[in-house]
Amino acid sequence: MKRDRWSRLFWMYYRLKAMGLAEVFWRLNQARLKKRERKQFAGAGVSVIQSIYAAPSMNYDFLAIGIYPDNKNYSLGEQPYLLGGFSYQQYCRDWYAGFQTEQHWPESFSYDISVSGREDVGDIRTNWDLNRNYDFALMAKNCYVTGNQKALEDLRQLFYDWVRKNPFLHGPAWTSPMELGVRSVNWLFMGAFLTMAERRFQCDLQEWLHDIARGVYNMTCYIRNHRSRYSSANNHLLIEMCAVAIAGLVLRQPAWTVEALSILDKELFLQNEPDGVNKEMSLHYQTFGMEAYGLLIPLLRRGGFHVPESWEPQLMKMAEFVADSMVTQECAAEFGDNDEGKLLDLQGGRMNHYIYVLQLMSMVLPVRYGSWHSWHENLCWLYSETERELSCVKCLYESKSSKVYPHGGYTFLKDAQREVVLAMDHADLGFGSIAAHGHADALSIQLFVQGIPVFVDSGTFNYHVPANKRNVYRSTKAHNTVYVHDVEQSEMLGPFLWGRRAYTKLDKVDFSEPTQTVCATVQYSGIEHHRECQLSHYGKIVVADTVQMREQRKVEQQFIVPAEWQLHEQFDELYLTRERIRIRLRSNMQYASFPVKISRIYGVEEEGHLLCFGGTLDLNRGGMEIITEIIIEGVS
């Protein structure tokens, strides 16, 4: 117990160090506001569909969402996907489920619920996913398409079950303003589909629609009072303001939309580098924020609001980075956290969020970012078939050539046939003073051959259970970089808090044929690590690492390989084989391999191989050089 108390004090000390004076005053004001809210709502549960905030008469138009009513490209019967692959049928009404445990979250006042590192209950992110109510919008779509009265009644019962069991500011569903934002968006789309169903099938849903509107009004007022700010104002703020802007359009509160637009305009350039890379250093969090802009822009245009002209060139750069990160339509070079967050899903099943967002960008921008055999169903409800066909004649951004993002901190080396793709991370740790979603992965690389992952990022797993896994998955030794034993590149102080940070610098990029080169350096804790990666057009890669430090430690060059690859040694060389591809690895240092856990799907672990080349640094020689040749021999 004493250790836990000291851990909390230690975290609080460094969290306060990450704040400026203005943030401290803002948080004190938030504490006073929460104190008043505690007096008002901590007792008997108040329903979210009651008149919580003073409001004019509810004047709303759910059709301002702009759904295309004649869409014929829809699916039926696909259930919502729950993080970690948990059964929707089993948990669809289990709003307090702990998921990773048999325990449940408390039904107490939300300000009294600690959500971080709750090994006794579960990963709060998994619970939040259920309480975002993606299923409400999905089921309402099904009701509109089929007119099935039983399906309509099932949705009605599910909606009121959630309302009854999740009173305002009680339970885990109310522990983050962003969660209210995602939920509000799904309630608004539910309202739009139910309005269309009411007209199409001549049924009376007015009381239900009024309750939805009132609930959204209350959640939006809460978000506006508690929006993320200062060191907490990352992608959460983008989602919150997107929800406020859409609610303003539907609930005829134009001041809300204007307010949200002002914040979104500022944050688009604050949270993203000039070359289009999101400062979170997470590809997924970049597309999560882009989805917010992509959903909002057509609604603004239809509602007569001016979309800032500066958005277009910035979003184009951001879309280019996402397109460059895509090795195939199914596979991306991902660095940093990925918790599979999304704003809307009218299709069900697992979503390829990257392709979906590139499709969104292809509709709102003057360029298209891919050629697809099918569209995600969200796009089919937001745009007519004619509009989607017109987007297909836009100029295509083709991601075939090598490219560097000097501000964002990533380089992609690609051979002429794009058979081999090597991505290198020379980015900062992450965004803002806490770098919440960054990983200690400086100079990490990822390798793909014929679209197949060879060297992969270890992933995210989940944020909280078991608590130690959070640090394991974002640690230096969980990435394809050099690991100096017992030394992390950056200092982990909490699940979403960092202290001392590594310093990275891009030294050189040369895309000349026949050999392309990227060189970068990272410095931390008295250690200097310089990495040079070369890609030759005939399928040869050289990874050369030079490490200098003043202590004698074991140093290893690491590569994480999925279990699908078979490892075998021949004549003191290491071979990786998969299907008909064979890759030879040859190094100047000793080789060892170990089993390792990786997580390519949030909440799911799988087996992998950790390949290590290295030894103990000799201080008399002034450093260590590890050179590994990776020769792709192609079809075996």
Side-chain angles (χ1 to χ4, degrees), residues 310-587:
S310 57
W311 287 17
E312 185 174 286
Q314 181 68 8
L315 287 170
M316 287 175 66
K317 293 174 186 175
M318 294 169 69
E320 288 179 10
F321 175 70
V322 177
D324 284 332
S325 299
M326 299 302 298
V327 181
T328 68
Q329 287 200 16
E330 301 300 323
C331 182
E334 297 182 80
F335 294 94
D337 280 344
N338 180 353
D339 67 6
E340 302 187 35
K342 58 194 174 188
L343 259 174
L344 179 71
D345 184 7
L346 301 174
Q347 182 170 296
R350 282 205 75 217
M351 173 190 287
N352 186 324
H353 199 260
Y354 302 136
I355 295 301
Y356 157 58
V357 168
L358 288 177
Q359 291 180 346
L360 265 181
M361 293 297 107
S362 298
M363 294 303 303
V364 302
L365 299 175
V367 178
R368 62 186 170 102
Y369 296 94
S371 300
W372 304 284
H373 298 298
S374 62
W375 293 82
H376 189 276
E377 194 171 332
N378 286 9
L379 279 296
C380 299
W381 288 110
L382 293 170
Y383 296 94
S384 68
E385 187 173 358
T386 300
E387 289 173 314
R388 285 182 276 119
E389 288 175 351
L390 286 174
S391 78
C392 293
V393 301
K394 294 178 179 178
C395 178
L396 174 65
Y397 174 77
E398 295 190 85
S399 178
K400 292 183 178 180
S401 303
S402 298
K403 191 168 181 181
V404 59
Y405 289 85
H407 296 286
Y410 297 97
T411 296
F412 301 94
L413 300 182
K414 303 174 183 179
D415 68 352
Q417 292 75 38
R418 211 185 176 201
E419 291 283 295
V420 180
V421 178
L422 185 144
M424 181 173 175
D425 174 356
H426 42 84
D428 291 335
L429 178 65
F431 178 54
S433 59
I434 61 175
H437 293 288
H439 286 198
D441 56 359
L443 310 196
S444 178
I445 62 172
Q446 295 183 41
L447 176 65
F448 305 83
V449 175
Q450 296 180 2
I452 297 173
V454 183
F455 301 153
V456 299
D457 190 277
S458 59
T460 304
F461 187 44
N462 76 50
Y463 288 150
H464 298 295
V465 179
N468 70 300
K469 285 290 182 76
R470 175 62 173 154
N471 284 352
V472 168
Y473 273 93
R474 61 186 182 144
S475 67
T476 306
K477 59 185 175 183
H479 295 89
N480 302 313
T481 187
V482 162
Y483 175 54
V484 178
H485 274 233
D486 301 321
V487 181
E488 287 294 324
Q489 290 177 345
S490 297
E491 182 184 18
M492 293 176 277
L493 298 176
F496 301 94
L497 179 65
W498 294 83
R500 174 193 47 78
R501 302 188 188 193
Y503 169 75
T504 57
K505 180 171 68 76
L506 176 63
D507 298 315
K508 173 187 173 183
V509 175
D510 183 356
F511 295 150
S512 303
E513 294 291 352
T515 301
Q516 303 179 64
T517 304
V518 55
C519 306
T521 301
V522 60
Q523 296 175 329
Y524 58 96
S525 301
I527 297 167
E528 181 171 294
H529 167 209
H530 176 79
R531 166 163 283 188
E532 178 175 317
C533 294
Q534 297 180 348
L535 170 62
S536 301
H537 66 78
Y538 44 85
K540 178 181 176 182
I541 298 160
V542 177
V543 180
D545 291 303
T546 303
V547 180
Q548 295 180 321
M549 59 183 175
R550 297 176 180 177
E551 293 183 73
Q552 187 166 314
R553 289 179 180 269
K554 190 173 183 181
V555 180
E556 291 181 322
Q557 181 190 73
Q558 302 184 145
F559 302 109
I560 298 169
V561 181
E564 302 94 276
W565 289 90
Q566 300 298 313
L567 276 62
H568 63 275
E569 292 185 63
Q570 183 178 347
F571 305 117
D572 296 324
E573 293 182 333
L574 174 66
Y575 287 85
L576 302 176
T577 58
R578 178 179 176 180
E579 299 171 359
R580 300 173 64 220
I581 302 174
R582 187 164 100 152
I583 300 173
R584 176 159 53 102
L585 289 85
R586 182 170 56 199
S587 179

Side-chain angles (χ1 to χ4, degrees), residues 1-13:
M1 185 64 71
K2 282 186 177 180
R3 185 175 180 179
D4 290 343
R5 188 181 302 115
W6 277 111
S7 296
R8 287 195 297 271
L9 289 172
F10 182 75
W11 177 89
M12 182 63 71
Y13 169 74

Side-chain angles (χ1 to χ4, degrees), residues 195-244:
T195 299
M196 295 195 302
E198 182 184 52
R199 297 184 180 185
R200 186 174 188 177
F201 301 110
Q202 298 181 344
C203 51
D204 182 7
L205 304 178
Q206 284 303 300
E207 183 178 352
W208 187 2
L209 291 169
H210 185 85
D211 287 342
I212 294 171
R214 175 63 71 181
V216 170
Y217 187 94
N218 288 329
M219 287 190 284
T220 306
C221 288
Y222 182 85
I223 294 169
R224 292 179 67 231
N225 289 338
H226 296 276
R227 66 178 171 89
S228 300
R229 298 186 67 185
Y230 299 104
S231 59
S232 299
N234 54 2
N235 58 83
H236 285 225
L237 180 60
L238 305 183
I239 304 306
E240 292 159 11
M241 290 302 101
C242 172
V244 170

